[in-house]
């Protein structure tokens, strides 16, 4: 027989039967067994799982001391040795929603166990935590308690058992903003013609990918004292020392390299090459300056057009590399550049 | 224009003393196949031929192209015009297809931009090529051959081999004959006059430098968007010369069996009127992109289309072309649907495309090519699997000691094909 899963439930002061708004400052505490809505959860779990403990914290306390609240609650939760954490549901209560999202996300992260909460779609906690926690979509008020509890329990059991989820709509949770592959019932070509005919007839259809919204970086004013600046070179064209010592991937790069060019005036083809898998490497390997113009910049340095070239250059591969990875690289690189007083950067792409 | 496609079902491929088809089995004279594929070109130093069957524990890597053997039996021109045959307009008469098998060219051209096919296990699920009887040609070339020549040598050897095998089907009675008729848009009959007029914008990768596609032997990089009959592709008018990421390059096989064209032909006169195909290119400079999209949109208008299906090839840079095409067509009041894959990162949490337009409100996603897959070791490897770590989609440590592979879906041939050849899609979870 399958063992019984252990569940801990998080509640605020109101649902935890401590008191109303006057008790919202109550700090974290633990209770054995199920309290309030936890009794309903227990009914839904039946013999599959047992609500072994309940942790409670006042809404104000949590939002005013988030780190302390999370740390303390984590200690209580750990003590029960749970497989599952349920939080709320918080419906449209904003402070409660934020607390539920925060504790679910923290516990999943720290203990690696399943956690599920429930909120109304416009709860402030949704935007903050939908990417890091499973949030069942609920009605705005308490009238949705039974429906929400049933869905939270079903989803929690599926996750705990490692079952494959069908879809956010089917399971009732708010999409986490993560793309996942699945096999559709028809080929893409047939789906395309179906969608086009629906669009032409004015019938409802659902696009399979909503257009992304891009960051737009404001252009800075030109530099007027070029001869006094330190300039750095960065490339997403994959120019690396031969042998690609940092193993930068040919596509969807997960890393970048930082290479010392003190005293290097020429990128010789026997010393440098491209690691990029998205373009024909013939010409870049023949003359790496075609992608990283070190030769010209060195001349400009000697002529005094710029004061000096930064002693390192950075390289990655911009071939299908995710925006999230690119952003992370940039944040790290910028730290070096600002610390070392670099005022301008030339980024060569391919 | 009418083309009859006679489908000869091939259920087994074996080496034999003579190349012929007998009772749904294709027997191949191995030496003659190799000789024909080489075509007397001394820059090709060696060719080995192997058979990989569906369900076998076999991995083919690095794969360049996949080609279906066909032969022109009646009508103008020959198969693969501009390469194997003359340049007469094809697409009419009768063509025989050796259905169920293919020629797979194997060889390391660029090192990054080839792909793999698993004939068994989870990797096989991602590509229709695992369901074919694959005749793999492992081709080596002389040391002094440039990468561009290398690509050409493999491309031509593959086409020659497919044409040679296709000949075996010339006098065989096909199990099924499909008749494709394409009417002039002006001759649409009364009954179907009220159906929406649908055109197909067929974008081919043409960035130069090993990222090329060919139309009647001509590199489409240098061609202004033009009109093409649906049946011309079935005779091999469009050929792949691509060395790009394996998942979303259109192999020659995909072109020969373009599923968008098949879908539109099948539904022509039923729930739509198929008014034509505009072949367009995907060049690298902004000027080229603007010129081509303006020209393509003009042709869409000339065809009097109410709606357009747009297919893409490749990712990143071509996102700019597809968005430009989509926006310009929508601005004319003509509805579009585009087919694209996604590069949303391994965790699926990143933006999937490099460009966007608010006009693109009807998109078919054929999957996130960054998703990580784990493939078990195979008993037999055709080619060399050590290359996996350098392939686009591979990474340091992709190959385990036992021969298992962990890599991005990107490495599998045709896994996120943007003609919509597979059922794969991606959604937000």
């Amino acid at each position: 027989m399958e063992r019984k899963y252990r569940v801990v439930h998080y509640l605020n002061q109101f649902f935890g039967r401590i008191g109303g708004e006057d008790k919202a400052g109550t700090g974290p505490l633990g209770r054995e067994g199920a309290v309030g809505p936890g009794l309903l959860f227990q009914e839904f779990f039946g013999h599959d799982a047992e609500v072994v403990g309940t942790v409670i914290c006042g809404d104000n306390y949590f939002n005013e001391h988030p780190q302390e609240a999370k740390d303390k609650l984590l200690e209580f939760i750990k003590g029960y040795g749970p497989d599952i954490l349920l939080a709320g549901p918080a419906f449209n209560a904003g402070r409660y929603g934020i607390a539920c999202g925060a504790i679910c996300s923290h516990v999943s992260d720290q203990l690696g166990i399943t956690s599920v909460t429930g909120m109304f779609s416009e709860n402030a906690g949704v935007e903050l935590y939908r990417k890091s926690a499973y949030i069942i979509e609920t009605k705005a008020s308490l009238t949705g308690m039974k429906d929400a509890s049933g869905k939270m329990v079903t989803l929690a059991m599926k996750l705990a058992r490692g079952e494959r989820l069908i879809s956010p709509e089917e399971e009732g949770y708010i999409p986490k903003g993560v793309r996942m592959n699945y096999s559709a019932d028809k080929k893409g070509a047939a789906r395309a013609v179906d969608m086009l005919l629906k669009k032409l007839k004015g019938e409802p259809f659902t696009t399979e990918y909503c257009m992304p919204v891009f960051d737009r970086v404001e252009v800075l004013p030109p530099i007027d004292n070029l001869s006094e600046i330190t300039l750095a070179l960065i490339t997403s064209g994959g120019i690396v020392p031969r042998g690609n010592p940092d193993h930068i991937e040919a596509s969807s790069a997960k890393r970048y390299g930082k290479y010392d060019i003190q005293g290097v005036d020429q990128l010789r083809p026997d010393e440098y090459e491209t690691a990029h898998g998205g373009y024909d490497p013939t010409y870049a390997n023949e003359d790496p300056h075609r992608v990283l113009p070190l030769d010209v910049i060195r001349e400009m340095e000697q002529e005094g057009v710029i004061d000096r070239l930064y002693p390192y250059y950075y390289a990655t591969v911009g071939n299908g590399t995710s925006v999230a990875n690119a952003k992370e690289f940039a944040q790290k690189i910028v730290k070096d550049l600002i610390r070392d007083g670099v005022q301008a950067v030339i980024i060569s792409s391919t | 224009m009418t083309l009859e496609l006679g489908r000869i079902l091939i259920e087994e491929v074996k080496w034999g003393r003579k190349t012929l088809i007998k009772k749904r089995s294709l027997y191949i004279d191995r030496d003659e196949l190799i000789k024909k594929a080489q075509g007397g070109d001394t820059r090709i130093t060696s060719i080995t031929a192997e058979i990989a069957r569906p369900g076998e524990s076999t991995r083919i890597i690095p794969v360049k192209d996949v080609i279906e053997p066909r032969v022109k039996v009646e009508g103008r021109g020959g198969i693969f015009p501009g390469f194997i045959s003359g340049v007469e307009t094809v697409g009419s008469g009768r063509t025989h297809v050796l259905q169920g098998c293919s020629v797979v060219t194997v060889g390391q051209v660029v090192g990054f931009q080839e792909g793999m096919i698993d004939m068994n296990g989870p990797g096989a699920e991602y590509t229709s090529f695992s369901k074919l009887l694959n005749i793999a040609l492992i081709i080596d070339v002389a040391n002094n051959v440039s990468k561009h020549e290398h690509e050409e040598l493999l491309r031509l050897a593959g086409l020659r081999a497919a044409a040679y095998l296709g000949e075996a089907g010339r006098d065989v009675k096909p199990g099924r004959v499909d008749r494709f008729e394409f009417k002039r848009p002006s001759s649409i009959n009364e009954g179907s006059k009220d159906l929406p007029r649908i055109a197909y914008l067929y974008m081919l990768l043409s960035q130069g430098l090993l990222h090329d596609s060919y139309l009647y032997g001509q590199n489409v990089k240098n061609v202004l968007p033009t009109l093409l009959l649906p049946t011309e592709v079935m005779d091999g008018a469009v050929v792949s010369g691509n060395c790009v990421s394996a998942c979303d390059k259109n192999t020659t096989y995909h072109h020969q069996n373009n599923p968008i064209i098949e879908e539109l032909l099948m539904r022509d006169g039923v729930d739509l009127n198929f008014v034509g195909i505009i072949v367009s290119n995907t060049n690298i400079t902004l000027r080229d992109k603007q010129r081509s999209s303006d020209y393509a949109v003009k042709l869409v208008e000339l065809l009097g289309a109410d709606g357009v299906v747009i297919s893409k090839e490749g990712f990143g840079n071509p996102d700019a072309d597809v968005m430009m095409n989509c926006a310009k067509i929508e601005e004319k009041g003509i509805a579009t649907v585009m087919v694209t894959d996604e590069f949303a990162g391994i965790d699926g949490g990143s933006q999937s495309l490099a460009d966007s337009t608010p006009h693109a409100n009807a998109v078919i996603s054929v999957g996130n090519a960054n998703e990580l897959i784990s493939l078990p070791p195979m008993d037999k490897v055709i080619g060399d699997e050590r290359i996996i770590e350098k392939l686009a989609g591979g990474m340091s440590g992709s190959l385990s000691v036992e021969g298992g592979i962990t890599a991005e879906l990107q490495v599998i041939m045709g896994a996120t094909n943007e003609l919509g050849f597979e059922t794969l899609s991606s959604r937000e979870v």
Side-chain angles (χ1 to χ4, degrees):
Chain A
M1 202 184 106
E2 197 181 26
R3 76 180 173 91
K4 239 179 191 179
Y5 286 88
R6 294 172 67 84
V7 181
V8 173
H9 186 198
Y10 173 78
L11 291 170
N12 71 354
Q13 80 284 351
F14 176 72
F15 287 99
R17 307 263 169 97
I18 305 289
E21 194 57 34
D22 56 320
K23 299 285 185 192
T26 308
L29 49 93
R31 294 262 192 274
E32 292 295 318
V35 175
L39 298 165
L40 187 57
F41 283 135
Q42 186 58 65
E43 272 182 44
F44 280 110
F45 277 121
H47 296 297
D48 293 338
E50 187 184 348
V51 180
V52 292
T54 304
V55 287
I56 303 165
C57 183
D59 285 337
N60 285 349
Y61 184 91
F62 195 103
N63 282 275
E64 283 159 16
H65 315 89
Q67 200 52 51
E68 285 168 68
K70 279 195 292 188
D71 290 346
K72 210 146 185 202
L73 287 165
L74 184 70
E75 280 312 306
F76 281 128
I77 292 166
K78 233 197 245 172
Y80 291 111
D83 307 293
I84 295 168
L85 171 72
L86 295 179
F91 305 105
N92 201 19
R95 285 171 307 166
Y96 189 19
I98 291 172
C100 285
I103 193 66
C104 281
S105 149
H106 190 58
V107 165
S108 292
D109 193 44
Q110 296 294 314
L111 305 182
I113 63 167
T114 296
S115 64
V116 176
T117 180
M119 294 179 212
F120 179 58
S121 60
E122 287 169 30
N123 192 312
V126 170
E127 254 336 281
L128 287 170
Y129 294 107
R130 74 180 177 103
K131 289 192 177 173
S132 51
Y134 281 98
I135 306 174
I136 289 286
E137 187 173 351
T138 70
K139 290 198 178 132
S141 70
L142 260 171
T143 57
M145 180 63 91
K146 197 169 176 188
D147 179 55
S149 304
K151 285 179 180 162
M152 284 169 69
V153 164
T154 308
L155 178 62
M157 284 311 295
K158 275 195 172 184
L159 289 167
R161 287 178 172 145
E163 289 173 25
R164 197 173 165 88
L165 303 181
I166 302 166
S167 69
E169 298 76 38
E170 199 76 22
E171 314 288 350
Y173 70 92
I174 296 166
K176 298 180 81 180
V178 170
R179 305 292 294 172
M180 192 184 269
N181 289 341
Y182 74 103
S183 183
D185 55 353
K186 283 181 175 182
K187 278 188 176 189
R191 304 204 305 275
V193 177
D194 288 346
M195 191 183 285
L196 183 57
L197 293 184
K198 279 188 181 164
K199 186 171 167 178
L200 280 165
K201 285 184 206 154
E203 291 174 3
F205 64 89
T206 310
T207 183
E208 294 180 358
Y209 181 65
C210 289
M211 284 296 109
V213 180
F214 294 104
D215 289 342
R216 294 285 166 198
V217 179
E218 229 173 285
V219 179
L220 291 175
I223 295 169
D224 43 23
N225 55 340
L226 263 188
S227 61
E228 293 164 30
I229 66 154
T230 301
L231 175 80
L233 289 177
I234 299 178
T235 184
S236 61
I239 300 297
V240 292
R242 260 200 185 268
N244 189 10
D246 292 304
H247 306 286
I248 299 172
E249 293 81 359
S251 177
S252 27
K254 289 149 202 75
R255 52 197 107 192
Y256 65 90
K258 176 181 180 180
Y259 304 108
D260 192 341
I261 41 170
Q262 292 176 78
V264 178
D265 292 333
Q266 293 285 323
L267 299 173
R268 293 166 38 143
D270 56 343
E271 290 171 359
Y272 292 86
E273 64 178 350
T274 182
H276 200 291
Y279 64 88
D280 172 5
T282 309
Y283 302 103
N285 286 343
E286 222 169 72
D287 183 359
H289 296 113
R290 286 171 173 149
V291 176
L292 188 72
L294 178 77
D295 51 350
V296 180
I297 303 298
R298 280 284 183 231
E299 277 171 30
M300 291 177 130
E301 190 183 30
Q302 272 156 27
E303 289 163 10
V305 179
I306 57 164
D307 178 45
R308 75 179 189 120
L309 179 63
Y310 188 59
Y312 302 91
Y313 82 89
Y314 299 84
T316 189
V317 162
N319 181 27
T321 296
S322 72
V323 177
N325 282 359
K327 209 166 169 177
E328 190 195 311
F329 301 164
Q331 279 161 347
K332 287 184 183 158
I333 293 171
V334 155
K335 264 190 200 150
D336 284 6
L337 300 182
I338 291 176
R339 184 195 59 218
D340 296 340
V342 173
Q343 290 108 322
V345 178
I346 292 178
I347 303 177
S348 54
S349 67
T350 47
Chain B
M1 187 81 87
T2 304
L3 179 73
E4 284 181 346
L5 216 51
R7 301 183 189 273
I8 301 164
L9 198 62
I10 303 295
E11 289 176 344
E12 177 59 294
V13 174
K14 286 178 182 163
W15 303 123
R17 286 212 301 224
K18 196 168 181 289
T19 298
L20 56 88
I21 295 166
K22 209 163 95 186
K23 290 185 187 158
R24 297 192 170 176
S25 289
L26 170 65
Y27 295 87
I28 303 172
D29 175 344
R30 200 175 188 162
D31 294 337
E32 192 172 55
L33 170 70
I34 288 170
K35 203 172 140 221
K36 292 285 180 182
Q38 187 175 9
D41 197 321
T42 53
R43 294 171 298 175
I44 295 177
T45 50
S46 86
I47 299 182
T48 18
E50 302 254 17
I51 298 166
R53 298 176 180 84
E56 285 179 354
S57 179
T58 301
R59 171 166 293 150
I60 319 175
I61 180 173
V63 174
K64 179 185 182 287
D65 199 10
V66 181
I67 309 150
E68 188 171 55
R70 294 188 173 198
V71 61
K72 196 105 196 85
V73 178
E74 282 167 33
R76 289 190 80 199
I79 217 76
F80 304 124
F83 288 115
I84 301 300
S85 314
V87 288
E88 295 92 346
T89 300
V90 290
S92 65
R94 186 174 174 123
T95 299
H96 284 179
V97 182
L98 273 55
Q99 192 164 310
C101 70
S102 85
V103 170
V104 174
T105 47
V106 182
Q108 190 179 333
V109 183
V110 188
F112 302 135
Q113 295 156 351
E114 286 84 43
M116 57 178 283
I117 300 170
D118 271 3
M119 300 305 289
N120 190 354
E125 302 289 321
Y126 286 107
T127 174
S128 298
F129 297 143
S130 66
K131 297 169 190 77
L132 299 176
L133 291 152
N134 291 314
I135 300 128
L137 299 177
I138 304 99
I139 304 171
D140 286 326
V141 300
N143 283 334
N144 59 355
V145 163
S146 75
K147 287 189 187 300
H148 308 108
E149 277 179 286
H150 193 164
E151 185 283 320
E152 187 187 20
L153 289 175
L154 261 62
R155 169 163 35 96
L156 294 177
L159 296 177
R160 283 191 293 255
Y164 164 72
L165 294 177
E167 279 296 335
R170 182 177 285 281
D171 299 317
V172 176
K173 191 174 176 305
R176 197 179 98 198
V177 178
D178 289 329
R179 197 165 179 275
F180 296 104
E181 191 185 355
F182 186 70
K183 300 175 291 290
R184 246 181 246 117
S186 58
S187 67
I188 289 169
N189 63 37
E190 272 311 300
S192 57
K193 227 170 49 183
D194 295 333
L195 297 175
R197 296 166 63 88
I198 308 296
Y200 170 35
L201 177 51
Y202 193 176
M203 292 172 56
L204 303 175
L205 199 62
S206 58
Q207 298 178 328
L209 307 173
L210 304 171
H211 291 41
D212 287 312
S213 304
Y214 295 86
L215 180 63
Y216 282 88
Q218 167 85 303
N219 191 330
V220 292
K221 183 172 66 180
N222 306 315
V223 174
L224 276 174
T226 188
L227 296 176
L228 186 72
L229 296 170
T231 50
E232 290 177 82
V233 295
M234 298 174 185
D235 280 340
V238 181
V239 161
S240 168
N242 270 324
C243 296
V244 285
S245 286
C247 63
D248 63 3
K249 71 172 175 183
N250 298 330
T251 65
T252 301
Y253 188 98
H254 289 121
H255 290 303
Q256 293 170 296
N257 292 280
N258 185 316
I260 293 173
I261 294 176
E262 286 180 6
E263 185 75 15
L264 290 171
L265 280 173
M266 199 175 74
R267 296 169 74 160
D268 184 31
V270 180
D271 57 358
L272 55 86
N273 281 314
F274 184 16
V275 294
I277 303 171
I278 299 108
V279 184
S280 182
N281 51 19
T282 311
N283 288 4
I284 44 171
T285 68
L286 186 59
R287 245 173 107 81
D288 281 336
K289 289 181 198 296
Q290 287 169 334
R291 185 192 301 113
S292 289
S293 73
D294 263 27
Y295 215 94
V297 175
K298 179 178 69 186
L299 294 176
V300 166
E301 274 193 291
L302 282 174
L303 290 173
D306 301 312
V308 185
V309 178
I310 309 174
S311 69
K312 202 180 89 183
E313 182 170 14
F315 62 91
N317 192 298
D319 294 352
D321 302 75
V322 78
M323 294 302 163
M324 200 182 275
N325 285 334
C326 167
K328 285 183 187 175
I329 294 170
E330 289 276 347
E331 277 161 14
K332 298 280 182 189
I334 300 166
T336 62
V337 162
M338 71 165 71
V339 185
T340 181
D341 60 354
E342 301 185 36
F343 282 75
I346 283 183
D347 64 358
S350 203
Q351 292 154 351
S352 299
L353 297 169
D355 197 7
S356 75
T357 165
H359 288 293
N361 60 6
V363 176
I364 296 297
S365 164
V366 290
N368 175 19
N370 291 138
E371 200 165 282
L372 218 53
I373 49 168
S374 288
L375 308 172
M378 294 282 146
D379 294 343
K380 180 179 175 185
V381 175
I382 297 176
D384 182 356
E385 63 184 344
R386 285 170 307 179
I387 191 71
I388 185 73
E389 298 195 350
K390 284 181 86 184
L391 286 192
M395 59 204 83
S396 180
S398 270
L399 186 65
S400 74
V401 203
E402 298 79 24
I405 284 177
T406 305
E408 291 180 23
L409 180 57
Q410 214 185 140
V411 299
I412 294 189
M413 291 296 287
T416 61
N417 175 270
E418 292 167 301
L419 303 176
F421 202 81
E422 306 291 341
T423 57
L424 192 75
S425 184
S426 192
R427 62 183 164 200
E428 194 180 326
V429 295

